[in-house]
Each structure stands twice: as structure tokens, then as C-alpha cells.
Amino acid sequence: MIDKDIRILIVEDCMNDAVLLQRQLKKIFSNPEITISNSLENLLYTAKTFIPELIFSDYNLGTFTGIEVMKEIRQVFPEIPIILVTGALGEEEYLNNMILQSASGFFLKKNMNELSSRMLPHIENILDDRSYELENLRKQRERVQKLERLHATLKEAANLDPEQTDPKMLDYYKQIIQDMNDDLDTILH
């Protein structure tokens, strides 16, 4: 078991498979924080707000594929390892596409109860090889969280009673909030 706090994003259109994968990941990590995305539409928003250190994605996702997941994520977070976990990998073309799109690994869903023992050595290698990049992701997540806290504090301050607060101060707070809204929108979108 890896004794490490880690954020994991699971991209899966089948909730049963997502829950099974989540159970296996909890056998690998002592304290994982896991979120699930089931559509391409909310994938980037989820990744930008959650900022995971590992992504596990199915290959066949109904209306999109694991290759599209990798393309979308790589545009924003090229350093996040993406591991494909798929139920069907019948053609060499799939494997070639995954490698070309820079998947960090792939596993078949068969024997799901044994998946954690098959994935553990590979995940340990990824975490060792990418420790610098993963630390930078953690720092980035902390910066975003600090910005969000500052934004909330300033927003609260701007809601002061206008009768009892200097109008220039209220205008100042409102301008700062607008600037922060713009900055957060840029970061998150």
C-alpha cells in the first residue's frame, strides 16, 4: 500500500466500473481523494478545479474515447499521468493509439478484484519517475485554493453595509473582486 495523500480523477461512463476501480485504488493508496467525470464536457472543468495527480480513464466511453481524454488533458496538464483501464482491447490499433497519445499505462478490467495488485508496481514507478511534476501540481492546486479563499474573503468584504462603509472602499473591493473573477475564470476555463 502506498501511504500518500493523492488526488485521482476517474473518467468512466459506467458508474459500476467507476465504483469497482475506486475500490481497487483504495487498496493501493492509504488516503486517496477520488472524483469521477463521466463526460467529455465536464472533463476539463473537473481536472482544472480538482487538479488530480493521476487520471484513470476507460478507453470506450460511449460518446468519446480515452484518446480524446488524453488529448483534452494534455492541452492543459501535460504532466499528469493517464492510465487507461479498459474492458476490451482487441485490436493492436488501440494499443498503438494509446502509446502514441502518451498514456502512462493501460490495464484490462478483467479480474477486477486483482487489478490493484497488477497496478501497484506500475503506479509506484510512475510516482517515483514523476515526483517533481506531481509536486508542482500540488503547488498549483494550493495556489488555486489560496486564490479561491482570498476571493471569498474579498467578496464577503464587498458585501459590507453600504450605509456604514466608505463608498471608495466599496468600489475598491468590487474592482478587486471583478479582477479576481476574471483571473479565476482564466485559470478554471
Side-chain angles (χ1 to χ4, degrees):
M1 179 171 279
I2 299 172
D3 188 26
K4 178 182 186 106
D5 291 344
I6 191 160
R7 286 179 163 216
I8 299 171
L9 172 59
I10 296 174
V11 184
E12 176 63 71
D13 62 332
C14 174
M15 280 302 122
N16 286 338
D17 285 353
V19 169
L20 290 171
L21 180 56
Q22 193 171 12
R23 282 186 198 149
Q24 293 303 304
L25 292 169
K26 287 180 178 181
K27 291 179 183 178
I28 294 173
F29 294 100
S30 61
N31 192 25
E33 186 177 345
I34 300 172
T35 194
I36 299 168
S37 176
N38 63 359
S39 73
L40 197 55
E41 291 78 28
N42 76 357
L43 174 65
L44 282 181
Y45 178 79
T46 303
K48 287 179 181 180
T49 55
F50 184 66
I51 310 178
E53 290 139 301
L54 284 174
I55 296 175
F56 289 84
S57 177
D58 190 6
Y59 183 80
N60 294 310
L61 292 153
T63 60
F64 62 107
T65 68
I67 291 177
E68 291 170 280
V69 169
M70 288 188 284
K71 284 179 183 176
E72 291 291 317
I73 293 296
R74 293 286 177 247
Q75 290 177 17
V76 182
F77 295 111
E79 66 277 12
I80 296 177
I82 301 172
I83 298 171
L84 295 170
V85 181
T86 185
L89 191 63
E91 299 179 22
E92 286 184 32
E93 181 182 347
Y94 288 156
L95 178 57
N96 289 333
N97 283 335
M98 284 184 262
I99 292 169
L100 290 173
Q101 294 297 325
S102 69
S104 299
F106 69 93
F107 293 91
L108 293 176
K109 289 180 184 177
K110 68 179 184 177
N111 301 322
M112 192 67 114
N113 290 332
E114 299 170 7
L115 188 59
S116 61
S117 61
R118 290 184 288 151
M119 289 193 310
L120 179 60
H122 187 68
I123 291 172
E124 287 174 327
N125 287 337
I126 288 172
L127 294 178
D128 287 343
D129 291 346
R130 303 243 181 128
S131 61
Y132 178 77
E133 291 95 341
L134 296 175
E135 183 58 31
N136 284 339
L137 282 171
R138 284 188 196 97
K139 289 177 182 176
Q140 182 178 353
R141 183 174 50 249
E142 288 171 6
R143 283 192 301 271
V144 168
Q145 289 170 342
K146 285 178 185 177
L147 271 174
E148 289 172 342
R149 284 193 301 272
L150 179 59
H151 180 259
T153 301
L154 288 172
K155 195 171 183 178
E156 185 177 313
N159 288 328
L160 297 172
D161 184 3
E163 299 291 322
Q164 297 178 357
T165 307
D166 180 6
K168 288 181 182 178
M169 187 62 75
L170 286 174
D171 289 340
Y172 174 72
Y173 283 145
K174 287 178 184 176
Q175 184 58 49
I176 290 174
I177 288 170
Q178 184 58 49
D179 292 346
M180 290 196 72
N181 278 334
D182 295 344
D183 289 345
L184 284 173
D185 283 344
T186 301
I187 290 169
L188 298 177
H189 300 291

